[in-house]
Amino acid sequence: MERTTDADRINEIQHSAQPCFQCGICAASCPIFRVAPDFNPRMAVDEVLRTGTVAMTGREWFCAYCLMCEERCPMEVALSEILIDIKNLSANDGKVPPSIIEMMDVIRFTGKVSHASKRTEKKRRELGLPELPKPDVDEVQTIFEMTGALDRLMRFREAEVEPE
Amino acid sequence: MRFALFPGCTISDRLPFIEKSIRMIAPHFNIELIDLPFTCCPEPNSVRSFSDKTWLTMGARNLALAEEAGVNIMTACAGCFESLSMSKHVLDSKPSEKEEVNKVLKKIGKEYKGQVEVRHIQQVLYEDIGIEEIQRNVQYPINYRAVIHPGCHTLRPQKILNLDDAEAPMKLDELVRAIGMESLDYMDKVMCCGAGVRGINREIAFGVLREKMDSMMMVDPEVAVVFCPTCFISFEAGQKVVNRMFDKKYNLPVYYYTEILAAAMGLEGVESILSEHRVKFSALGMLVAKNEPEIENATPH
């Protein structure tokens, strides 16, 4: 699959952030900002508009993707989508929180985010629940290979070995 | 009504008793469920943030499986509902993305056409079955004071998900009223439970949960009712973490809607579901065991 270049992606982010007039309802509605004022969704947009660059501070990963900011934005700026885009740029640079790498690895090898533990399997039998059909993991591998997830996982591991 | 049940990883692998409650009530409302080899939806925040192309293609594969089987999808998890609905929205509104995705799906012998609908079980109960039919099935009304938490990913973005009003949701309130409960309004009803950042930063995640539960506790509820397994874990197991972290004393029993629906319907086997809960509500247990229509002075334990 063709990969969008970073420059294209930053242009797209700038374009979608353009209507923002910095009213701050996004920050006022953000549950993360409420307990951790270091993370301010308004500033993420402000940065893009002012500097034309995307600051990947690591704080972009604090977004809980609750979509409150986006729902309330009077200019319909899709802030959650912008943050997803910023995180994709970070991930492409190999900057990803380890918990997400773990999750991606589990999906890659099982198709699911959580293994059914022996206890859960026993519980399912006790409750009389059916055995669910398992996804073909080769199909997941193919998707990972062709959509760039495998590349990003590799890049994370390289970044881990050789820190800047 | 026939659906492919999309229980989601959290329900099928961690909270199977919730899946049981769904399968228990389904036949009473003429809902037929089939199981398909779905993968993770995938999880709407982390996976999409890591690689949006991978997210979209895995979502399309799941949608294609249901299309192939000729059924719509019924999700039980708000996250799966949002993720699959958003995938469908992107694929249906951006032909170039759909084309790219189908090139990958072709390699695994699949194709996304755009014929499948994604529904959350709340929509099926509220819109297809209706409050009156639910009331008609209630044998033992449960008359407790409840706070409901609709969950971010059933509500937003409203213009795409279209499940309820994102600022003032009332449908889950109506559903809990249908089984005899009082639904209490509270300040931060549409606020997040904090689950989205639990793997990234625990202090922030449980700080958000503390804010949310403080708001809930202001109206003195006896139980909380949710329609998402991730929110269920946040409130049920998470309140104990919040208690330790912030010196709180929360002790609020939490139910996924179909669990208390099954209890109110007096269905056999409800005890086996409720015994899996970490915060027990002894009054509800007694209600179920004795099949008594009402319990006076019920208090959570």
Side-chain angles (χ1 to χ4, degrees):
Chain A
M1 192 178 278
E2 196 186 338
R3 195 184 300 127
T4 318
T5 66
D6 284 6
D8 284 347
R9 198 138 190 172
I10 290 170
N11 277 340
E12 275 172 35
I13 295 173
Q14 265 195 298
H15 182 74
S16 54
Q18 208 64 50
C20 170
F21 61 90
Q22 296 284 309
C23 74
I25 199 167
C26 50
S29 307
C30 177
I32 305 299
F33 181 69
R34 185 160 155 179
V35 299
D38 274 357
F39 174 81
N40 184 339
R42 182 179 65 82
M43 296 308 285
V45 176
D46 181 58
E47 182 83 33
V48 180
L49 288 174
R50 271 192 304 110
T51 67
T53 60
V54 172
M56 289 172 281
T57 58
R59 282 199 293 273
E60 62 271 18
W61 294 95
F62 287 178
C63 171
Y65 191 61
C66 78
L67 294 106
M68 199 82 129
C69 51
E70 188 168 319
E71 195 68 45
R72 289 186 175 167
C73 176
M75 300 308 287
E76 297 190 3
V77 173
L79 235 91
S80 318
E81 301 278 324
I82 290 175
L83 280 155
I84 293 255
D85 278 342
I86 296 176
K87 286 182 274 184
N88 266 273
L89 289 169
S90 301
N92 207 31
D93 270 8
K95 293 173 194 153
V96 189
S99 65
I100 292 179
I101 297 294
E102 277 168 36
M103 180 190 273
M104 294 308 295
D105 271 337
V106 176
I107 295 176
R108 180 181 161 199
F109 292 114
T110 67
K112 304 287 219 72
V113 282
S114 48
H115 303 284
S117 64
K118 284 272 178 289
R119 190 185 167 276
T120 310
E121 279 172 14
K122 184 165 165 270
K123 194 45 78 191
R124 287 188 67 90
R125 281 194 300 275
E126 281 169 15
L127 287 166
L129 286 168
E131 205 170 308
L132 295 173
K134 288 200 167 44
D136 182 345
V137 178
D138 289 344
E139 294 184 9
V140 180
Q141 295 278 359
T142 303
I143 293 175
F144 264 57
E145 270 169 42
M146 292 183 72
T147 58
L150 212 56
D151 282 350
R152 286 186 181 183
L153 282 173
M154 296 306 159
R155 224 163 296 146
F156 170 82
R157 302 229 147 88
E158 284 163 18
E160 215 181 18
V161 179
E162 298 167 60
E164 289 168 34
Chain B
M1 276 176 280
R2 197 156 175 267
F3 290 102
L5 175 65
F6 199 102
C9 307
T10 307
I11 288 185
S12 66
D13 297 344
R14 294 180 66 186
L15 309 168
F17 47 95
I18 290 181
E19 184 179 329
K20 180 67 181 176
S21 72
I22 293 165
R23 293 187 193 271
M24 276 165 74
I25 61 132
H28 297 269
F29 298 107
N30 292 318
I31 303 171
E32 190 195 335
L33 300 171
I34 64 162
D35 302 309
L36 295 172
F38 292 124
T39 61
C40 173
C41 52
E43 189 280 335
N45 185 18
S46 305
V47 177
R48 192 174 171 202
S49 298
F50 181 76
S51 167
D52 52 358
K53 298 251 181 283
T54 311
W55 164 79
L56 187 62
T57 312
M58 284 186 73
R61 179 195 164 277
N62 284 327
L63 295 166
L65 284 183
E67 272 185 358
E68 227 172 77
V71 287
N72 288 328
I73 289 175
M74 183 175 88
T75 59
C77 165
C80 303
F81 173 65
E82 204 265 359
S83 181
L84 292 168
S85 300
M86 293 299 280
S87 296
K88 182 177 164 56
H89 173 75
V90 174
L91 294 163
D92 292 354
S93 61
K94 294 181 179 164
S96 61
E97 299 261 5
K98 183 171 151 187
E99 201 182 311
E100 286 292 311
V101 161
N102 272 331
K103 277 183 203 161
V104 180
L105 291 187
K106 202 174 174 192
K107 294 272 183 202
I108 57 172
K110 300 205 165 28
E111 187 192 357
Y112 172 74
K113 298 190 184 77
Q115 296 154 347
V116 65
E117 295 292 324
V118 179
R119 316 206 64 205
H120 186 276
I121 184 169
Q122 178 179 323
Q123 291 173 306
V124 175
L125 287 172
Y126 187 90
E127 292 165 19
D128 302 350
I129 289 156
I131 296 291
E132 276 180 30
E133 180 62 14
I134 290 170
Q135 276 170 332
R136 219 178 51 74
N137 276 273
V138 170
Q139 303 273 332
Y140 308 104
I142 302 174
N143 64 341
Y144 300 136
R145 293 160 54 81
V147 280
I148 62 123
H149 169 76
C152 301
H153 297 146
T154 61
L155 295 179
R156 298 180 288 268
Q158 187 186 336
K159 63 182 176 203
I160 295 169
L161 303 181
N162 201 23
L163 179 139
D164 203 344
D165 188 307
E167 289 293 345
M170 287 308 293
K171 292 179 182 174
L172 182 51
D173 301 71
E174 286 183 53
L175 286 166
V176 302
R177 269 187 227 120
I179 58 172
M181 287 186 170
E182 182 187 354
S183 181
L184 306 165
D185 223 347
Y186 66 101
M187 192 164 64
D188 289 311
K189 189 170 167 184
V190 296
M191 183 187 174
C192 174
C193 68
V197 286
R198 208 148 53 216
I200 310 285
N201 186 307
R202 279 171 59 86
E203 279 70 25
I204 295 177
F206 289 109
V208 170
L209 181 63
R210 176 200 64 207
E211 294 290 302
K212 174 82 188 187
M213 289 196 75
D214 274 349
S215 179
M216 283 176 159
M217 301 316 277
M218 277 181 206
V219 296
D220 196 22
E222 290 168 305
V223 296
V225 180
V226 300
F227 234 143
C228 172
T230 307
C231 306
F232 178 93
I233 292 177
S234 284
F235 292 118
E236 229 235 350
Q239 64 182 282
K240 292 171 190 273
V241 181
V242 170
N243 286 349
R244 279 200 305 273
M245 248 175 171
F246 303 107
D247 197 23
K248 296 277 181 183
K249 290 188 171 61
Y250 299 141
N251 189 29
L252 184 67
V254 185
Y255 296 98
Y256 184 88
Y257 180 73
T258 50
E259 295 183 286
I260 43 161
L261 176 58
M265 288 167 71
L267 300 181
E268 203 181 318
V270 170
E271 302 88 334
S272 65
I273 294 174
L274 300 181
S275 66
E276 291 295 306
H277 283 231
R278 295 175 191 212
V279 183
K280 310 271 190 227
F281 194 5
S282 66
L284 189 58
M286 274 160 62
L287 172 88
V288 171
K290 292 182 187 165
N291 279 351
E292 283 173 6
E294 282 181 24
I295 300 264
E296 298 288 323
N297 303 322
T299 45
H301 293 284

